Amino acid sequence: MSLHNEILIAKHLNKAIFKNRAVPIIIIFIGILLLYATFSGWKNYTNQKETSEKYQHESREDWLNNPDKNPHRMAHYGNFAFRKSTSLSMFEYGMEPFFGNAIFLEAHKQNSANFSEAGFSSSMMRFGEISIAMVLQILFPLLIFFIGFNAIATERENGTLKLLLSQGVSWKQILLGKTLGIASVIMILFIPIILVLLLVWMLLQNFTVSADEILKMMLFILFHFIYLLFFCVIAVLISAASKTSKNALVSLIGIWLLFTIILPRTTQSIGAYVYQAPSKIEFNSAIEKDILKQGDSHNPNDLHYKAIKDSLLSVYKVDSVQKLPFNYSGFIMTEGEKISSTIYNKHLDTLLQVYAKQNSFSKAVSFINPYIAIKNISMGLSNTDYDSYINFQKQAETYRYDMAQKMNALQIKYISNKKQNPTDTPQTINKNYWADVQEFQYEPKDVFTILKNELLSIISIALWIGILLFLIKIAYKNLKAI
């Protein structure tokens, strides 16, 4: 199929756009903003990576350099888990500045992540940093609407549209040609910035990139390209349906405000209002109450643990815990860790269900708002979404539980039950056992897990493609020149 007329229309629109002196200035400004966002993202990523690696190494050294001591004391001494940023996070900050990236891990207690970027920043930081994704998702659509609002409306106003149609050019060719014309202007910025991003992305990883990361980057580029085409089509359709260019501009600005500002904030507020989550204090208090109902493993007179002691004495046919063939205190700590961890995970799962219901509003609105859909996909691919944060919390909790239970197992095996005299030195084991606890390694979600989690957003993108194609078909059949 020949696109001769469409290409001519696109070239004509391209020239008309650049006759407006404001357009080159705006493009240069956004180009500078993109370069700044690239530099800022590169600096942020390298700082995060260096900081997390430094303190993860120091935490590991501190753990290994502990002297001979009681394993239970080591379990309370604790360790740290650090969340390393992924390479794509330099393009999309997502929720990363507002979530912590370090968790202190200790026996019998589950802590939340701390030390977020926003926690140490000014109010401007809390509003949001300038990232590549922010420019692509918010400023680019505004630029598209600015250069595309008069694509067809102006020709209707000055009478050239009627002349064009009388010469045998169809509405289908006009709509496609105008869309290509707007897209060609946007590609002047989009293509160079993608090439720069790819270069910086490769440099950050010393040109050693896994297949999973390559696929994430390709999807990041593809979805943003489709997203920008959406707005090119929307601009042309609104311009074609408007009587005047002024009406088209007002309509497009309204759509931009609705998509990028009003709907995202409204849905978040509605979700939080309808499905109210407990505060951190309420959450921790509920856990403490349930643990106390099960018993206090540090209290020798606790009824629950006294029953365990009596059953052990009966099974091993001894009259005191000092005569048991293993360390009784370590056994009780193991049981207490199981109980507290089970209760914590139960409450956490309940809390996550509340948050999932809150986020369901955002997922649902993505079907009528491509901005929310692309934001969810972008954050998922860059590992800066809420699910990634929860994934980090769960990995850290698994590591914490294994660490505590390994220390309890060492106490059971190597620490005697015999009570010490006040003058005796504390019972200890060799510090070489500390190396049995492996260093924490955070593993980000793979691309297929991300696509599964963001299936609704992907479906909404596909649905938007279908809707816009349908609207184009209706438009070229029903639009009039006047």
Side-chain angles (χ1 to χ4, degrees):
M1 182 180 68
S2 175
L3 295 176
H4 178 71
N5 288 338
E6 289 87 340
I7 293 173
L8 287 177
I9 293 170
K11 288 181 177 180
H12 181 268
L13 178 61
N14 193 291
K15 290 179 181 179
I17 288 172
F18 281 100
K19 285 181 181 179
N20 185 340
R21 295 181 180 179
V23 172
I25 296 174
I26 294 173
I27 290 177
I28 292 172
F29 172 75
I30 293 181
I32 293 172
L33 202 60
L34 283 167
L35 290 175
Y36 169 77
T38 303
F39 173 76
S40 177
W42 166 78
K43 187 176 180 181
N44 180 70
Y45 170 74
T46 52
N47 287 343
Q48 287 275 10
K49 183 180 179 181
E50 290 171 1
T51 300
S52 61
E53 288 179 350
K54 174 187 175 183
Y55 288 109
Q56 185 74 71
H57 177 72
E58 289 183 4
S59 175
R60 181 63 178 175
E61 290 298 311
D62 287 343
W63 173 267
L64 294 176
N65 290 333
N66 267 273
D68 298 351
K69 63 171 63 175
N70 188 292
H72 190 65
R73 290 188 63 190
M74 275 301 290
H76 280 288
Y77 180 83
N79 210 334
F80 275 94
F82 287 88
R83 180 176 180 270
K84 296 179 182 179
S85 299
T86 61
S87 56
L88 271 175
S89 66
M90 69 166 285
F91 311 137
E92 168 67 86
Y93 298 153
M95 299 181 181
E96 194 167 68
F98 305 96
F99 289 144
N101 54 17
I103 303 178
F104 178 60
L105 310 173
E106 57 181 321
H108 313 308
K109 187 176 181 181
Q110 293 81 10
N111 298 309
S112 57
N114 294 307
F115 313 119
S116 68
E117 289 285 327
F120 298 99
S121 301
S122 66
S123 58
M124 284 301 293
M125 171 67 185
R126 293 175 189 274
F127 178 75
E129 289 184 311
I130 297 174
S131 66
I132 297 294
M134 187 273 281
V135 175
L136 291 175
Q137 295 163 12
I138 297 179
L139 296 186
F140 264 57
L142 188 60
L143 174 62
I144 290 170
F145 286 170
F146 176 73
I147 65 177
F149 76 94
N150 59 357
I152 296 177
T154 298
E155 295 199 23
R156 175 179 281 111
E157 288 178 294
N158 58 30
T160 56
L161 179 59
K162 187 175 181 181
L163 181 62
L164 192 63
L165 290 168
S166 66
Q167 292 177 345
V169 179
S170 67
W171 267 110
K172 183 177 181 180
Q173 291 173 323
I174 292 173
L175 294 174
L176 180 56
K178 297 292 185 180
T179 301
L180 291 175
I182 298 172
S184 66
V185 176
I186 295 304
M187 290 302 109
I188 293 174
L189 276 173
F190 184 74
I191 293 175
I193 197 60
I194 291 300
L195 294 176
V196 171
L197 289 180
L198 287 172
L199 178 61
V200 174
W201 180 65
M202 295 292 287
L203 285 171
L204 283 173
Q205 302 174 89
N206 297 318
F207 293 90
T208 303
V209 186
S210 66
D212 185 75
E213 291 173 317
I214 292 174
L215 188 53
K216 286 178 181 177
M217 172 58 90
M218 292 174 62
L219 289 172
F220 181 89
I221 296 171
L222 174 63
F223 279 113
H224 279 86
F225 175 74
I226 294 172
Y227 173 76
L228 295 178
L229 284 182
F230 285 169
F231 285 92
C232 292
V233 174
I234 291 171
V236 171
L237 288 174
I238 295 298
S239 182
S242 301
K243 295 294 183 182
T244 65
S245 56
K246 181 180 179 180
N247 291 342
L249 180 59
V250 172
S251 299
L252 289 172
I253 293 298
I255 291 172
W256 180 81
L257 289 171
L258 183 67
F259 280 176
T260 62
I261 297 177
I262 297 174
L263 281 178
R265 283 152 181 77
T266 301
T267 53
Q268 290 172 1
S269 299
I270 292 175
Y273 177 78
V274 175
Y275 301 105
Q276 295 185 4
S279 67
K280 186 175 181 180
I281 294 176
E282 291 172 336
F283 177 73
N284 290 333
S285 296
I287 293 174
E288 288 296 328
K289 287 179 182 178
D290 282 355
I291 290 176
L292 289 175
K293 289 178 184 177
Q294 292 292 326
D296 184 0
S297 59
H298 289 80
N299 180 6
N301 297 317
D302 183 89
L303 294 177
H304 175 78
Y305 291 95
K306 186 177 183 302
I308 295 176
K309 181 181 73 172
D310 292 341
S311 64
L312 287 174
L313 295 178
S314 175
V315 169
Y316 287 94
K317 298 179 181 180
V318 293
D319 56 6
S320 69
V321 294
Q322 284 75 27
K323 295 179 182 179
L324 289 172
F326 54 84
N327 183 267
Y328 171 73
S329 179
F331 180 87
I332 291 299
M333 292 302 108
T334 299
E335 180 67 15
E337 193 68 55
K338 287 180 182 178
I339 292 173
S340 63
S341 294
T342 301
I343 291 173
Y344 171 80
N345 289 327
K346 179 182 177 181
H347 280 269
L348 180 61
D349 288 340
T350 302
L351 181 64
L352 294 182
Q353 288 176 14
V354 175
Y355 287 145
K357 290 177 181 178
Q358 291 181 359
N359 293 333
S360 67
F361 277 87
S362 176
K363 299 284 187 181
V365 173
S366 68
F367 285 98
I368 60 172
N369 187 355
Y371 169 72
I372 293 180
I374 193 65
K375 188 67 178 176
N376 289 337
I377 294 171
S378 179
M379 290 193 299
L381 291 172
S382 59
N383 205 51
T384 58
D385 61 336
Y386 178 74
D387 287 338
S388 297
Y389 169 75
I390 294 302
N391 183 42
F392 167 58
Q393 287 270 147
K394 290 184 175 181
Q395 288 187 37
E397 169 57 19
T398 299
Y399 179 88
R400 184 206 66 80
Y401 180 79
D402 291 343
M403 175 193 73
Q405 295 298 52
K406 283 182 179 179
M407 293 299 103
N408 289 331
L410 290 173
Q411 182 175 349
I412 291 172
K413 186 174 183 179
Y414 295 110
I415 300 299
S416 172
N417 279 316
K418 294 181 180 179
K419 292 184 178 180
Q420 295 176 281
N421 296 319
T423 57
D424 292 344
T425 57
Q427 295 185 61
T428 63
I429 64 173
N430 192 287
K431 66 177 185 179
N432 291 333
Y433 285 108
W434 312 152
D436 291 343
V437 177
Q438 299 296 316
E439 184 176 7
F440 176 79
Q441 295 290 339
Y442 171 61
E443 293 294 334
K445 297 178 295 182
D446 63 84
V447 66
F448 297 106
T449 301
I450 292 168
L451 294 177
K452 181 180 178 181
N453 291 343
E454 299 300 336
L455 183 60
L456 284 180
S457 296
I458 295 171
I459 292 173
S460 70
I461 293 288
L463 182 63
W464 264 93
I465 293 174
I467 290 173
L468 291 177
L469 290 174
F470 177 72
L471 290 176
I472 290 172
K473 186 176 181 179
I474 292 177
Y476 71 70
K477 288 183 178 180
N478 297 284
L479 284 172
K480 305 297 181 183
I482 300 176

